[in-house]
């Protein structure tokens, strides 16, 4: 076992986090769900989502047997919804193709939807007691600083170099504890800003610390100006009910429900005609100020249009991709559904636009 690994294990025994929900009753399933949730999401945010998810889907069989709408409902607010869709799809493959037992090889795990090299390594090291490396954001930060690895980690050559370092430092024994330790170090001491080098167990040999420039590493992704797209969202309401439209699985917000989204110049009359409700009695139409929702690669400028109907048109009933919901009772009588973040915000605004 090399010096780096030994220092981390010693530090973790005294200072490591040991009470996070996914650190108890460790199974491949529980580790897998936590790893997927923690991708690009802070621990503090994940904890409640994880606990609620595990209460509803305590086993891979429970997750595989659930409707996608319900899975997305429990993911609402976490973002990056492809993670939830892949969880559901992978759970079904594990149950149907592997009799409910997780593969115990790197290749077998990576063959499942949404599981990459690092997630597979975490499952193998933490839950299956195998020697396997990980390279999540925290680990990248620790390794780039310790070895003063220049260059943006997203570059293929830099990523390859970091994986080699991760493999070299991962010990053949106590691998699960080491994996927890290096993630903890990045999360608690070797933070992106103002790292606590004085408390770091490997500071004595850390190249970035010794040069006095820990925040120089890892190098940031070269900035590109995000483009802005525009869309109009129609909130069509009648009495206490509002119409939502399900997004295609292979597109933006795949499988989630939102108010119907159309081009920024799409007219209300065209929207109603498209829905087969051209003769609907439109009692009110209101346009609200635009607001911005930001994705990883672009900004979406949203223009809300609120339409109030005197009655639900006979030709506009629930279908596979259209559904009338009570915004105040989404978790009650309605089947649980997954909502996009703008949908949550827009549904909450209805009370101010059309007070009951």
């Amino acid at each position: 076992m090399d010096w780096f690994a030994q220092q981390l294990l010693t530090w973790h025994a005294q200072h490591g986090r040991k009470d996070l929900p996914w650190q108890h009753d460790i199974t491949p399933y529980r580790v897998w769900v936590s790893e997927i949730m923690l991708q690009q999401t802070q621990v503090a945010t994940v904890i409640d989502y994880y606990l609620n998810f595990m209460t509803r889907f305590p086993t891979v069989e429970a997750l595989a047997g659930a409707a996608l709408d319900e899975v997305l409902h429990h993911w609402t607010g976490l973002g990056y919804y492809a993670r939830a869709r892949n969880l559901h799809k992978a759970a079904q493959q594990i149950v149907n193709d592997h009799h409910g037992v997780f593969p115990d090889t790197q290749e077998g795990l990576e063959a499942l939807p949404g599981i990459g090299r690092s997630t597979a390594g975490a499952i193998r090291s933490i839950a299956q007691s195998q020697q396997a490396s990980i390279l999540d954001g925290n680990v990248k930060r620790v390794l780039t600083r310790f070895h003063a690895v220049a260059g943006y980690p997203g570059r293929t050559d830099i990523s390859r170099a970091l994986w080699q370092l991760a493999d070299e430092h991962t010990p053949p024994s106590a691998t699960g504890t080491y994996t927890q330790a290096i993630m903890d170090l990045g999360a608690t001491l070797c933070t992106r800003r103002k790292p606590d080098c004085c408390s770091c167990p490997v500071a004595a040999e850390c190249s970035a610390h010794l040069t006095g420039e820990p925040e120089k590493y890892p190098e940031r992704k070269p900035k590109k100006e995000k483009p802005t797209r525009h869309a109009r969202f129609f909130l069509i309401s009648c009495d206490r009910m509002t119409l939502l439209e399900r997004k295609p699985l292979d597109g933006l917000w795949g499988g989630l429900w939102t108010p119907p989204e159309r081009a920024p110049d799409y007219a209300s009359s065209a929207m109603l005609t498209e829905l087969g409700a051209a003769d609907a009695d439109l009692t009110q139409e209101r346009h609200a100020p635009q607001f911005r929702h930001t994705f990883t690669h672009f900004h979406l400028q949203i223009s809300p249009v609120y339409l109030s109907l005197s009655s639900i048109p006979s030709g506009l009933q629930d279908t596979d991709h259209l559904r009338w919901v009570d915004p105040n009772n989404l978790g009650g009588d309605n089947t649980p559904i997954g909502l996009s973040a703008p949908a949550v915000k827009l549904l909450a605004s209805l009370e101010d636009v059309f007070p009951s």
Side-chain angles (χ1 to χ4, degrees):
M1 186 179 298
D2 72 3
W3 178 85
F4 179 87
Q6 186 59 65
Q7 293 300 116
L8 285 187
L9 289 172
T10 301
W11 169 80
H12 185 267
Q14 185 174 357
H15 302 288
R17 298 178 297 183
K18 303 178 182 66
D19 290 320
L20 295 172
W22 46 87
Q23 294 175 323
H24 301 282
D25 188 24
I26 293 174
T27 65
Y29 174 67
R30 289 173 61 82
V31 170
W32 170 51
V33 173
S34 71
E35 287 295 313
I36 299 299
M37 283 190 171
L38 287 165
Q39 292 172 1
Q40 304 187 63
T41 310
Q42 297 293 321
V43 168
T45 300
V46 165
I47 289 176
D48 285 343
Y49 278 95
Y50 181 84
L51 291 172
N52 290 333
F53 199 89
M54 280 298 156
T55 297
R56 173 58 189 89
F57 313 112
T59 64
V60 69
E61 290 83 4
L63 178 57
L68 177 59
D69 270 339
E70 188 173 7
V71 176
L72 291 171
H73 173 74
H74 282 80
W75 204 271
T76 296
L78 266 181
Y80 300 99
Y81 291 92
R83 296 182 296 173
R85 296 195 299 273
N86 283 330
L87 268 176
H88 188 240
K89 189 184 301 182
Q92 292 177 332
Q93 288 189 18
I94 292 167
V95 170
N96 295 332
D97 301 340
H98 301 279
H99 308 289
V101 179
F102 274 71
D104 60 0
T105 65
Q106 189 77 17
E107 296 75 18
L109 287 167
E110 287 190 45
L112 295 169
I115 295 186
R117 184 175 177 180
S118 187
T119 301
I123 295 170
R124 290 177 60 214
S125 63
I126 298 172
Q128 297 175 330
S129 301
Q130 299 183 34
Q131 184 179 15
S133 306
I134 70 163
L135 195 63
D136 69 357
N138 286 320
V139 177
K140 288 178 183 177
R141 189 163 55 252
V142 171
L143 293 178
T144 55
R145 287 175 175 171
F146 187 78
H147 292 280
V149 178
Y152 169 56
R155 281 172 35 190
T156 301
D157 58 333
I158 304 301
S159 178
R160 186 183 302 116
L162 289 173
W163 271 112
Q164 182 175 340
L165 292 170
D167 289 341
E168 291 173 357
H169 286 303
T170 302
S173 60
T175 308
T177 304
Y178 168 82
T179 298
Q180 297 279 9
I182 193 168
M183 289 192 293
D184 276 3
L185 183 68
T188 61
L189 297 184
C190 196
T191 50
R192 181 179 299 175
R193 298 182 182 85
K194 297 182 180 180
D196 186 2
C197 297
C198 294
S199 302
C200 179
V202 295
E205 298 291 335
C206 177
S207 298
H209 171 63
L210 294 175
T211 59
E213 296 182 302
E215 292 190 43
K216 179 180 176 181
Y217 305 92
E219 288 188 19
R220 300 291 181 87
K221 182 178 182 179
K223 274 198 170 183
K224 287 185 180 179
E225 190 68 25
K226 288 184 179 181
T228 299
R229 303 178 189 176
H230 296 264
R232 179 169 282 182
F233 281 66
F234 291 89
L235 287 100
I236 303 170
S237 299
C238 178
D239 194 12
R240 298 177 58 86
M241 308 301 285
T242 299
L243 186 69
L244 296 182
E245 183 176 56
R246 187 174 190 169
K247 290 288 187 177
L249 289 175
D250 57 354
L252 189 66
W253 291 316
L256 298 180
W257 294 81
T258 72
E261 174 191 356
R262 297 296 185 269
D265 58 351
Y266 207 66
S268 300
S269 57
M271 183 75 260
L272 293 174
T273 299
E274 177 190 334
L275 294 171
D279 297 331
D281 181 15
L282 178 61
T283 59
Q284 292 187 69
E285 177 174 346
R286 298 185 183 181
H287 293 246
Q290 295 183 351
F291 67 93
R292 172 178 285 189
H293 182 78
T294 297
F295 295 90
T296 304
H297 302 297
F298 70 94
H299 302 294
L300 181 63
Q301 202 71 13
I302 295 172
S303 299
V305 178
Y306 298 85
L307 305 178
S308 179
L309 308 181
S310 62
S311 61
I312 295 177
S314 58
L316 190 50
Q317 303 301 317
D318 287 359
T319 67
D320 288 341
H321 67 282
L322 292 173
R323 181 177 296 179
W324 291 94
V325 302
D326 180 351
N328 297 313
N329 193 30
L330 286 172
D333 297 335
N334 291 306
T335 301
I337 57 175
L339 299 171
S340 68
V344 173
K345 182 174 182 177
L346 289 167
L347 289 174
S349 71
L350 280 167
E351 185 64 30
D352 295 327
V353 177
F354 300 133
S356 55

